[in-house]
Amino acid sequence: MAGFDVLKNDLLLRTARGERVERPPIWVMRQAGRYLPEYHQAKGNNDFFACCRSPEIASTLTLQPIDRYEGLIDAAIIFSDILVIPQAMGMTVEMLDKKGPHFPNPLQSPTDGQYEQLMDRKVDVAQELDYVYQAITMTRHKLKGRVPLYGFCGAPWTLLCYMVEGGGSKLFVQVKTWIYKYPSQSKKLLQKIAELCVEYLALQVKAGAQIVQVFDSWAAELSPASFKEFALPYLRHISEHLPPRLKELRLESVPMVVFAKGAWYALDDLCGSRYQVVGLDWLQDPAEAVRIANGRVVLQGNADPGVLYGDKEAITAVVQELVRGFAGGKQGWIANLGHGVTPFVDPDNLKFFFEEIRRFTAGENRPSTKV
């Protein structure tokens, strides 16, 4: 894209295209975040969404792990949140300290008045989410081609969960009520969200994103049959409609990643859903995932984030298991955690995780595949 520095490290993009590479690329979800001391300094007294809405702060936070772990991370991911789409749709979302996202006025039922407003409203994601695109463009310039930049969005099912539950949940009573009592209205809203996701991701690419990821964080709350009905069709809508939308905008296609946390049962379906990369959480066995994928997609993941609370021996053991499971990682593997970095992690432990991935994928240190 005009005006951006030439990409110096294209390892991750080559891997995402299925090419054989010299080593697996590494990055981790939530690599920019509150576990870093510098995050709190840059955030200051701003609330979370104020940081997202400030291109300067968002780009600064995005670059913090790239700077701290210079030469160890092969991608950046824009600092933002999946819930900016419900905000763009007109819903109020707050981030409460020690509680997480909160919707003061969640959807109650298809006849609550708000549902009709959401369905009737024409959402201009170009205008409503312009701050995200500004942050992406600014970040690309600040990166100076060091590593590629991920854009992302939340998956329709996960966004519906938040919009109905009003925040995180343990029982998911409200959203289960919606899909089983109001299935047709639920699907209409899921479709609208999916269409917004396509446009949102396309405009992120236009702004400078070089790869995009769709986060289905609450996929585990669905049974296999319900996943096929209320999640998979809308994930496929995104993967099927983003490439032609990019073509309409005269933009080149970018690799697409899907991460459906907890949907281990859907791996085969996800591998056939036109995404180039499928993210794995830590509940999936790497070798079994490789067998199921059978070369159809690149796999991303999938160390238990909790290992970062352990000692170096524990981290080394997990890395060896990953490298063994992904057959050395010279093709078809983007090294990552199985979910985002969690609070209170020692940043040095994450650095050691990166270093061990490098050490055990260098060739001569590859762990034995013998049991």
Side-chain angles (χ1 to χ4, degrees):
M1 193 167 289
F4 295 135
D5 288 53
V6 173
L7 185 60
K8 302 178 182 70
N9 177 0
D10 66 348
L11 177 66
L12 187 137
L13 297 184
R14 286 187 285 123
T15 302
R17 291 193 293 263
E19 297 179 19
R20 186 165 182 82
V21 292
E22 56 273 24
R23 63 171 178 82
I26 315 166
W27 74 283
V28 294
M29 293 174 277
R30 290 186 191 155
Q31 63 189 25
R34 52 187 170 170
Y35 76 100
L36 292 175
E38 55 266 38
Y39 167 85
H40 299 279
Q41 296 170 6
K43 180 177 179 289
N45 294 321
N46 296 287
D47 67 29
F48 176 82
F49 283 114
C51 293
C52 293
R53 289 189 292 268
S54 166
E56 181 60 47
I57 295 176
S59 64
T60 296
L61 296 175
T62 301
L63 265 67
Q64 284 181 343
I66 306 303
D67 293 336
R68 174 182 276 264
Y69 304 115
E70 179 71 41
L72 290 174
I73 298 183
D74 297 300
I77 183 166
I78 194 65
F79 184 86
S80 186
D81 193 80
I82 64 172
L83 297 179
V84 297
I85 285 184
Q87 288 178 330
M89 296 175 74
M91 298 189 77
T92 299
V93 189
E94 306 165 343
M95 191 65 72
L96 303 182
D97 188 38
K98 297 180 181 179
K99 182 178 179 181
H102 173 66
F103 288 65
N105 186 28
L107 291 169
Q108 302 291 334
S109 76
T111 58
D112 68 357
Q114 186 176 197
Y115 174 83
E116 293 92 333
Q117 291 175 0
L118 284 177
M119 293 306 299
D120 292 341
R121 182 179 181 187
K122 181 175 174 57
V123 182
D124 184 353
V125 292
Q127 178 180 336
E128 296 288 343
L129 299 176
D130 182 61
Y131 59 88
V132 178
Y133 316 131
Q134 289 186 44
I136 287 172
T137 301
M138 184 179 293
T139 302
R140 277 293 304 276
H141 285 300
K142 288 183 178 181
L143 278 170
K144 299 185 184 301
R146 284 188 284 172
V147 293
L149 178 64
Y150 272 73
F152 70 90
C153 73
W157 161 250
T158 289
L159 296 182
L160 177 67
C161 288
Y162 279 110
M163 292 163 71
V164 171
E165 295 289 342
S169 176
K170 292 183 178 180
L171 298 178
F172 292 85
V173 172
Q174 304 306 322
V175 76
K176 294 296 180 74
T177 300
W178 268 76
I179 63 173
Y180 293 124
K181 186 179 282 188
Y182 317 117
S184 63
Q185 294 95 331
S186 296
K187 290 175 183 178
K188 288 177 182 176
L189 182 51
L190 287 164
Q191 180 63 29
K192 184 179 181 82
I193 296 170
E195 292 169 3
L196 293 175
C197 287
V198 170
E199 188 66 11
Y200 179 44
L201 292 174
L203 294 177
Q204 289 186 54
V205 174
K206 183 179 180 182
Q210 293 152 293
I211 182 171
V212 294
Q213 178 158 322
V214 181
F215 286 86
D216 213 347
S217 307
W218 294 122
E221 300 307 317
L222 291 168
S223 69
S226 295
F227 183 85
K228 287 187 176 182
E229 184 174 1
F230 294 103
L232 189 60
Y234 308 100
L235 291 172
R236 284 178 169 164
H237 179 90
I238 295 170
S239 63
E240 290 169 2
H241 288 80
L242 180 57
R245 179 59 181 139
L246 292 175
K247 190 173 182 180
E248 288 177 358
L249 295 172
R250 297 184 179 180
L251 299 169
E252 293 184 8
S253 290
V254 300
M256 299 178 292
V257 187
V258 61
F259 176 60
K261 183 178 179 291
W264 54 268
Y265 51 78
L267 180 56
D268 185 52
D269 284 330
L270 292 170
C271 289
S273 296
R274 300 192 184 184
Y275 288 89
Q276 288 73 48
V277 182
V278 174
L280 306 174
D281 63 36
W282 70 94
L283 302 180
Q284 293 187 296
D285 176 70
E288 177 65 8
V290 169
R291 184 192 67 78
I292 293 171
N294 195 28
R296 290 176 290 168
V297 296
V298 172
L299 297 172
Q300 177 177 277
N302 67 330
D304 179 353
V307 74
L308 298 178
Y309 295 124
D311 58 21
K312 290 185 174 181
E313 287 185 3
I315 294 171
T316 297
V318 166
V319 168
Q320 288 181 301
E321 183 181 356
L322 283 178
V323 175
R324 188 179 296 113
F326 289 108
K330 297 298 173 63
Q331 187 170 18
W333 180 38
I334 297 172
N336 205 308
L337 298 175
H339 196 36
V341 179
T342 45
F344 313 119
V345 159
D346 184 339
D348 287 339
N349 282 354
L350 182 56
K351 180 182 180 182
F352 184 72
F353 173 77
F354 292 144
E355 291 171 338
E356 289 295 85
I357 291 284
R358 285 286 187 94
R359 182 163 75 96
F360 285 105
T361 56
E364 65 274 12
N365 291 318
R366 177 178 166 181
S368 171
T369 56
K370 295 180 181 179
V371 178

